[in-house]
């Protein structure tokens, strides 16, 4: 099988490419140039899109003896991921850019180009497992290493994309992957993991958004009394469940911790309240994506709303492009714009973007 190995320049994608080669596939390494600042260096950068990362990926490809290319997808990434990120925050929602990147870039733009060039599949260094059923269909499952499991951010893949995807690391723990990289003589064996949002190099999401949306001063209001208890410089910079950085006048509060319970960018108002106001047990999601056949009727599932969040028992049913989810226990800080990913055991059933969440019972 002819396979494109997506090589970010990190240890995970390096070992993934090596394992695909060991499995007998014809492998070509591809680094995605996603940054529009081509000269970005690693110093102070926290993501995986620097010019040095491309060099690291090339060195691994040389060790493996495979062809290596850099594919420029910066414009597509800007439009489908970065601009979407800004638009979502501007509307008072909390997006997950990693899910959007997997959906729009790695398993759409990259996969489409690979197929157009005659390749059969794409392999990445994500921690997840693909299980092939007797009938030839494929299922997406959690990784063996629960601490590194990335099935949540892959919940946007549909059956067609899953049929063309390989995740060679899903059966191995991260410490063992680093050992394997050292055994293979990879320069990146001890390279730190990328983290946070790759296109916000200093990790300051609020400052990054302010640079694009400008300061928009407004009020912070207490949900119970309606009193103004603080000010902010842009409601877009807040998310439901947030506790730190609220800029409150605590002299008017009773000392009980306060959290963001609502973000209204139309009126530029942030509403805060006590933890009890954060609990929800019902979710409506749109933009449903199914890793196989959509469920019929009401099904029992596990629901997860953050990449490394708690999975809770739930029931769910599809309504066209929408999904209704009823949680078996309350979750706090469920924000519109996040994704709810549904599981059946370790299998990913599908996902949806959270449109609203509320307390039903």
């Amino acid at each position: 099988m002819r396979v494109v190995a997506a090589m970010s320049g990190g240890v995970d994608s390096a070992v993934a490419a090596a394992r695909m080669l060991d499995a007998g596939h014809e492998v070509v390494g591809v680094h995605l140039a996603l940054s529009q600042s081509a000269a970005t260096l690693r110093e102070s950068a926290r993501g995986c899109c620097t010019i040095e990362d491309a060099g690291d990926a090339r060195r691994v490809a040389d060790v493996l003896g495979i062809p290596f290319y850099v594919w420029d997808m910066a414009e597509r990434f800007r439009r489908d991921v970065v601009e979407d990120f800004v638009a979502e925050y501007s509307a008072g929602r909390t997006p997950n850019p990693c899910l959007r990147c997997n959906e729009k870039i790695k398993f759409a733009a990259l996969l489409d180009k690979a197929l157009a060039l005659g390749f059969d599949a794409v392999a990445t260094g994500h921690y997840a497992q693909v299980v092939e059923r007797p009938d030839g269909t494929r299922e997406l499952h959690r990784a063996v290493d629960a601490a590194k499991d990335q099935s949540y951010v892959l919940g946007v893949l549909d059956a067609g994309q899953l049929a063309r995807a390989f995740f060679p690391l899903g059966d191995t723990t991260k410490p063992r992957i680093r050992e394997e990289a050292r055994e293979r003589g990879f320069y990146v064996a001890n390279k730190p993991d990328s983290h946070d949002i790759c296109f916000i190099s200093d990790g300051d999401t609020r400052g990054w958004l302010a640079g694009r949306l400008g300061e928009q001063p407004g009020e912070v209001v207490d949900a119970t009394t309606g009193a103004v208890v603080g000010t902010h410089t842009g409601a877009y910079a807040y998310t439901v469940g947030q506790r730190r950085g609220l800029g409150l006048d605590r002299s008017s509060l009773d000392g009980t911790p306060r959290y963001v319970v609502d973000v209204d960018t139309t009126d530029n108002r942030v509403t805060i309240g006590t933890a009890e106001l954060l609990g929800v047990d019902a979710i409506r999601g749109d933009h449903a994506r199914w890793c196989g056949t959509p469920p019929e009727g009401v099904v029992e599932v596990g629901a997860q709303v953050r990449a490394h969040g708690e999975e809770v028992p739930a029931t769910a049913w599809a309504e066209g492009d929408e999904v209704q989810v009823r949680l078996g226990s309350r979750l706090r800080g469920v924000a519109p714009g996040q994704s709810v990913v549904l599981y059946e055991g370790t299998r990913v059933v599908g996902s949806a973007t959270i449109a609203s969440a509320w307390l039903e019972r």
Side-chain angles (χ1 to χ4, degrees):
M1 187 175 290
R2 300 187 71 219
V3 177
V4 165
M7 301 181 71
S8 67
V11 62
D12 295 329
S13 60
V15 174
R19 287 186 170 189
M20 293 304 293
L21 193 64
D22 290 349
H25 300 292
E26 180 184 343
V27 180
V28 171
V30 169
H31 179 80
L32 299 183
L34 303 180
S35 173
Q36 293 191 308
S37 300
T40 300
L41 296 177
R42 185 176 300 134
E43 184 178 359
S44 79
R46 302 152 72 92
C48 56
C49 304
T50 72
I51 195 170
E52 291 180 344
D53 291 318
D56 289 344
R58 184 179 296 277
R59 278 189 284 272
V60 170
D62 288 344
V63 171
L64 294 175
I66 62 174
F68 177 82
Y69 301 93
V70 175
W71 288 358
D72 183 359
M73 293 190 178
E75 176 58 27
R76 178 78 179 262
F77 183 77
R78 180 192 63 80
R79 184 180 73 244
D80 290 346
V81 179
V82 179
E83 289 187 358
D84 174 79
F85 182 83
V86 175
E88 287 291 279
Y89 267 104
S90 181
R93 295 188 288 268
T94 305
N96 187 313
C98 292
L99 275 110
R100 200 62 61 237
C101 184
N102 285 332
E103 177 186 355
K104 298 291 188 179
I105 305 299
K106 294 174 183 173
F107 295 96
L110 172 62
L111 179 58
D112 289 348
K113 183 171 181 176
L115 295 177
L117 291 173
F119 290 92
D120 301 301
V122 166
T124 74
H126 287 98
Y127 284 81
Q129 298 187 88
V130 173
V131 175
E132 188 162 323
R133 294 167 56 87
D135 63 2
T137 59
R138 308 179 95 203
E139 297 178 344
L140 178 64
H141 285 254
R142 289 192 184 276
V144 166
D145 190 339
K148 295 298 295 182
D149 174 55
Q150 293 175 296
S151 60
Y152 175 89
V153 296
L154 295 169
V156 290
L157 302 189
D158 62 27
Q161 293 167 328
L162 194 58
R164 303 279 189 170
F166 285 95
F167 307 115
L169 309 188
D171 63 351
T172 311
T173 64
K174 180 59 178 271
R176 176 59 195 136
I177 292 298
R178 288 201 181 277
E179 290 177 12
E180 184 175 330
R182 285 190 287 270
E183 292 165 0
R184 292 178 181 273
F186 292 161
Y187 167 80
V188 296
N190 296 314
K191 184 176 178 179
D193 291 340
S194 59
H195 59 286
D196 295 324
I197 299 168
C198 68
F199 52 85
I200 302 180
S201 60
D202 61 1
D204 181 9
T205 301
R206 180 178 295 187
W208 188 90
L209 287 169
R212 286 149 182 80
L213 299 173
E215 290 195 355
Q216 302 174 22
E219 298 175 341
V220 179
V221 177
D222 185 81
T224 302
T225 65
V228 176
V229 293
T231 60
H232 62 76
T233 57
Y236 57 76
Y238 294 80
T239 186
V240 171
Q242 180 178 335
R243 180 180 176 185
R244 298 182 183 276
L246 303 184
L248 303 179
D249 175 9
R250 296 194 176 275
S251 65
S252 62
L253 301 175
D254 60 8
T256 303
R258 295 298 200 275
Y259 303 82
V260 174
V261 297
D262 185 63
V263 177
D264 185 343
T265 54
T266 302
D267 292 331
N268 198 29
R269 180 181 296 114
V270 175
T271 303
I272 62 157
T274 57
E276 291 73 24
L277 298 179
L278 283 176
V280 302
D281 59 13
I283 294 172
R284 179 179 68 84
D286 55 24
H287 189 58
R289 304 273 295 181
W290 303 109
C291 298
T293 305
E296 295 184 5
V298 178
V299 293
E300 294 186 358
V301 293
Q304 185 173 328
V305 300
R306 294 182 184 83
H308 298 289
E310 173 190 11
E311 179 188 326
V312 300
T315 55
W317 62 95
E319 295 180 348
D321 188 48
E322 294 189 350
V323 180
Q324 297 287 341
V325 182
R326 298 299 179 265
L327 305 173
S329 58
R330 296 182 185 180
L331 284 177
R332 291 181 177 179
V334 179
Q338 292 175 326
S339 290
V340 55
V341 177
L342 307 178
Y343 291 84
E344 183 183 59
T346 62
R347 182 178 74 88
V348 179
V349 178
S351 70
T353 303
I354 297 172
S356 58
W358 64 96
L359 187 62
E360 190 168 83
R361 60 185 188 280

